């Protein structure tokens, strides 16, 4: 249910060239707003009793126009009814309230600085790389945080963003003439931006940049599909790799699993096609063969297809099967590894997988049972005491797993741990031993996904 007490803001960019902007107040805050507006082709009118030195300088340079205060509603209607935007910057609450009400009556967007109740819009923190603008808003609740976010983003952009956007805008019609489909043009610009084009623009070599663009447009791979097998990590969206993020934002079609944080899907391009193909025990949305066929089908349609998997695609993720299917079908593909569940969950739980004193090896296993409820595992290789066992998907078979390890020779008191929802904010870590862990997991009502770790490294856990 939507909380009506919290203001809702929808970000837009408003075309204001050639319009009138009204500023109420002549002090420091008014000057700050005017500095932003002076970069635009607008007529700025400042209504105030007095004006600070900065505004006086602007007025002398004929950049703004001074006007007398608006004393009543008739004054407001007569002077401000055609304004596109109104900024209220005074510290007189009663006066600000009147101006705001008059503006709202005429449906003029109004911003009262530091007062959301009197505003119908707010000014975000802005990064300006003309013609590119990035606006960061906290909905008026935390403007200082918005500025801090801007300070973190701004150094990452560099100065090439503006010229790059101008170059693309200049040659958009050319691209439309030689490439008939939106998909072709989209890929053209992506390859230009990700390739040598950005570097050429940063060096102000526009002719060479256009030559590079023309060369890309001749390449037959603009319409060639491909598949990316991508590991999304164990759950925490911050563990997504930069390369995985880049491909998420370029994919046309995405087939994703169920072991992911939903927040990771927020990074996906808005016009991408999404298909959930997750698999759970005794319930498969699609069979593996059907997933393979889907990857091949969309790639043959010229799509860039991304297969998104929890953890790493080559560690119990069936990525090997999918890669083989693509290879046999002649589909180009690439593999983008992710942080595995074993690495991520153990690290977040503070458990080292290897340790010089007790574990010089680590064995990864799957705890899936067959229909006969038997675990087909290399038991003789699992009872060495100088190694760590990591068991994926072992929750349902945990009692059998622990009992068999004891029967094969490990002590009942051999350390064992279960990690539920590893790397998520509600992660739970259960510490016990081979005898006690199954009961502890049942008592705590632990549910999937769970990673089991067995070995002396648990005694070296750091918290």
């Amino acid at each position: 249910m939507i909380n009506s007490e919290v203001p809702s803001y929808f970000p837009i960019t408003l075309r204001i060239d050639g319009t009138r902007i009204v500023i109420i107040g002549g002090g420091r805050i008014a000057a700050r707003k005017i500095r932003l507006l002076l970069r635009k082709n607008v007529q700025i009118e400042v209504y105030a009793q007095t004006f600070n030195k900065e505004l006086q300088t602007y007025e002398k340079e004929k950049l703004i126009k001074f006007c007398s205060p608006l004393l009543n509603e008739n004054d407001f209607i007569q002077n401000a009814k055609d304004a596109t935007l109104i900024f209220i910057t005074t510290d007189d609450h009663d006066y600000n309230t009147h101006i705001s009400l008059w503006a709202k009556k005429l449906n003029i967007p109004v911003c009262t600085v530091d007062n959301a109740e009197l505003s119908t819009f707010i000014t975000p923190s802005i990064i300006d790389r003309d013609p590119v603008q990035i606006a960061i808003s906290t909905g008026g609740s935390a403007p200082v945080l918005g500025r801090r976010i801007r300070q973190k983003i701004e150094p990452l952009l560099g100065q090439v963003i503006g010229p790059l956007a101008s170059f693309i805008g200049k040659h958009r019609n050319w691209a439309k003439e030689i490439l008939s489909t939106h998909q072709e043009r989209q890929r053209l610009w992506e390859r230009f931006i990700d390739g040598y084009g950005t570097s050429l623009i940063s060096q102000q070599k526009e002719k060479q940049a256009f030559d590079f663009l023309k060369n890309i447009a001749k390449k037959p791979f603009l319409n060639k599909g491909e598949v990316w097998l991508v590991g999304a990590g164990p759950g925490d969206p911050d563990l997504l790799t930069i390369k995985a993020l880049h491909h998420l934002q370029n994919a046309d079609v995405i087939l994703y699993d169920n072991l992911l944080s939903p927040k990771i899907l927020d990074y996906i391009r808005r016009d991408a096609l999404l298909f959930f193909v997750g698999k759970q025990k005794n319930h498969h949305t699609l069979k593996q063969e059907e997933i393979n066929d889907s990857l091949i089908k969309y790639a043959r349609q010229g799509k860039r297809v991304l297969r998104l998997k929890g953890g790493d695609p080559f560690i119990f993720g069936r990525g090997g099967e999918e890669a083989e299917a693509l290879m046999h079908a002649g589909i180009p593909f690439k593999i983008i590894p992710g942080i595995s569940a074993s690495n991520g969950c153990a690290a977040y739980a503070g458990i080292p997988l290897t340790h010089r004193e007790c574990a010089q090896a680590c064995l990864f296993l799957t705890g899936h049972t067959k229909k006969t409820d038997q675990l087909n595992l290399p038991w003789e290789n699992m009872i060495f005491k100088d190694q760590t066992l990591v068991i994926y998907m072992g929750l349902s078979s945990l009692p059998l797993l622990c009992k068999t390890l004891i029967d094969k020779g490990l002590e009942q008191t051999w350390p064992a741990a279960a990690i539920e929802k590893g790397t998520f904010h509600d992660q739970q870590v259960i510490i016990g031993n081979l005898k006690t862990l199954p009961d502890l997991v049942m008592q705590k009502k632990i549910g999937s996904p769970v990673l089991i770790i067995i070995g002396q490294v648990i005694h070296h856990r750091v918290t």
Side-chain angles (χ1 to χ4, degrees):
M1 184 176 181
I2 297 173
N3 185 353
S4 60
E5 296 180 0
V6 179
S8 296
Y9 295 95
F10 185 78
I12 62 171
T13 52
L14 183 67
R15 183 170 180 174
I16 60 172
D17 50 303
T19 65
R20 292 174 61 225
I21 308 296
V22 167
I23 309 292
I24 307 297
R28 176 180 55 84
I29 297 175
R32 192 174 73 206
K33 298 300 180 187
I34 289 170
R35 274 182 236 127
L36 294 173
L37 294 166
L38 286 176
R39 304 175 187 178
K40 312 301 176 186
N41 178 28
V42 294
Q43 176 186 337
I44 303 172
E45 298 176 359
V46 185
Y47 291 79
Q49 191 73 45
T50 59
F51 308 90
N52 72 4
K53 290 183 179 180
E54 183 178 350
L55 296 190
Q56 291 174 24
T57 300
Y58 294 150
E59 196 270 342
K60 287 178 183 178
E61 296 174 356
K62 300 187 183 301
L63 298 175
I64 63 176
K65 177 183 177 182
F66 285 165
C67 304
S68 300
L70 301 173
L71 301 179
N72 53 56
E73 188 171 2
N74 287 334
D75 269 359
F76 180 87
I77 293 172
Q78 184 175 353
N79 292 282
K81 65 179 180 180
D82 296 325
T84 299
L85 298 173
I86 295 177
F87 292 89
I88 304 175
T89 68
T90 82
D91 56 6
D92 186 333
H93 178 75
D94 291 339
Y95 182 60
N96 293 348
T97 300
H98 288 305
I99 296 290
S100 174
L101 290 174
W102 299 335
K104 290 174 182 177
K105 281 185 181 180
L106 296 178
N107 290 319
I108 302 173
V110 58
C111 172
T112 305
V113 177
D114 289 334
N115 193 323
E117 291 184 4
L118 298 182
S119 302
T120 57
F121 77 95
I122 56 177
T123 308
S125 184
I126 297 172
I127 300 172
D128 195 339
R129 296 286 190 274
D130 187 46
V132 176
Q133 295 182 96
I134 299 173
I136 301 155
S137 173
T138 60
S141 61
V144 173
L145 176 60
R147 289 196 294 272
R148 287 289 182 267
I149 295 172
R150 184 196 69 199
Q151 291 166 4
K152 288 181 179 294
I153 294 175
E154 200 157 14
L156 302 176
L157 297 176
Q159 296 300 318
V160 71
I161 298 297
L164 184 61
S166 296
F167 176 88
I168 293 172
K170 180 179 178 180
H171 296 290
R172 281 189 70 194
N173 288 335
W174 171 86
K176 286 182 179 180
E177 289 174 2
I178 65 165
L179 298 174
S180 59
T181 69
H182 171 75
Q183 177 176 290
E184 290 175 324
R185 294 191 295 272
Q186 179 174 293
R187 293 193 185 181
L188 172 72
W189 291 120
E190 287 173 350
R191 283 168 169 80
F192 179 84
I193 293 168
D194 297 337
Y196 195 39
T198 298
S199 176
L200 290 170
I201 295 298
S202 69
Q203 298 173 58
Q204 300 181 351
K205 297 179 178 179
E206 187 168 326
K207 181 182 181 302
Q208 292 93 323
F210 187 49
D211 290 340
F212 177 68
L213 182 67
K214 290 187 288 186
N215 186 51
I216 298 174
K218 296 176 184 177
K219 301 290 184 181
F221 56 58
L222 277 179
N223 284 316
K224 193 171 185 179
E226 59 184 317
V227 175
W228 307 323
L229 305 178
V230 178
D236 184 344
D238 289 342
L239 294 179
L240 196 69
T241 67
I242 293 174
K243 193 166 188 176
L245 177 61
H246 172 78
H247 283 76
L248 276 172
Q249 295 170 342
N250 284 332
D252 302 311
V253 179
I254 295 171
L255 284 71
Y256 67 99
D257 281 345
N258 58 318
L259 297 179
L260 301 173
S261 165
K263 292 182 180 179
I264 289 177
L265 300 181
D266 293 341
Y267 299 127
I268 291 172
R269 228 178 61 208
R270 291 182 183 176
D271 59 340
L273 295 175
L274 272 74
F275 298 99
F276 174 68
V277 294
K279 293 184 286 291
Q280 295 177 326
K281 187 174 182 180
N282 300 322
H283 178 73
H284 293 184
T285 305
L286 289 180
K287 294 180 179 179
Q288 185 60 51
E289 293 76 13
E290 294 175 313
I291 294 175
N292 296 348
D293 291 343
S294 295
L295 297 175
I296 294 167
K297 179 184 72 173
Y298 287 114
R300 284 178 173 164
Q301 292 175 5
K303 307 291 187 184
R304 291 164 301 177
V305 186
L306 189 144
R307 177 72 174 99
L308 188 62
K309 297 170 171 291
D312 180 272
F314 273 19
I315 300 181
F316 300 122
R318 301 194 181 184
E321 299 173 42
E322 292 168 356
E324 287 177 337
L326 295 167
M327 182 179 65
H328 292 147
I331 302 296
F333 67 92
K334 68 173 67 171
I335 298 145
I336 300 168
I339 295 175
S340 69
S342 55
N343 285 347
C345 298
Y348 271 52
I351 300 173
L353 292 180
T354 62
H355 196 285
R356 189 168 57 174
E357 294 182 9
C358 61
Q360 289 77 50
C362 185
L363 190 59
F364 298 153
L365 306 144
T366 176
H368 267 317
T369 57
K370 293 188 173 183
K371 292 181 180 180
T372 57
D373 290 329
Q374 294 296 315
L375 281 170
N376 183 22
L377 295 174
W379 300 106
E380 300 304 320
N381 296 325
M382 294 169 61
I383 58 174
F384 296 118
K385 296 186 177 182
D386 59 350
Q387 70 179 354
T388 304
L389 304 179
V390 179
I391 297 95
Y392 288 69
M393 298 167 284
L395 180 61
S396 61
S397 62
L398 182 60
L400 177 59
L401 173 73
C402 292
K403 180 181 182 302
T404 307
L405 285 173
I406 293 171
D407 291 343
K408 294 292 183 180
L410 286 180
E411 295 94 336
Q412 291 184 352
T413 56
W414 198 251
I419 304 170
E420 178 195 36
K421 297 182 180 177
T423 78
F424 286 95
H425 70 278
D426 54 349
Q427 167 184 290
Q428 286 197 70
V429 181
I430 309 299
I431 302 295
N433 55 48
L434 291 178
K435 181 179 180 180
T436 63
L437 188 63
D439 288 339
L440 290 172
V441 165
M442 186 176 295
Q443 291 168 14
K444 295 289 185 179
K445 298 181 180 179
I446 297 300
S448 294
V450 169
L451 189 79
I452 309 298
I453 299 177
I454 298 172
Q456 292 292 332
V457 289
I458 294 169
H459 289 319
H460 295 274
R461 183 189 182 202
V462 292
T463 57

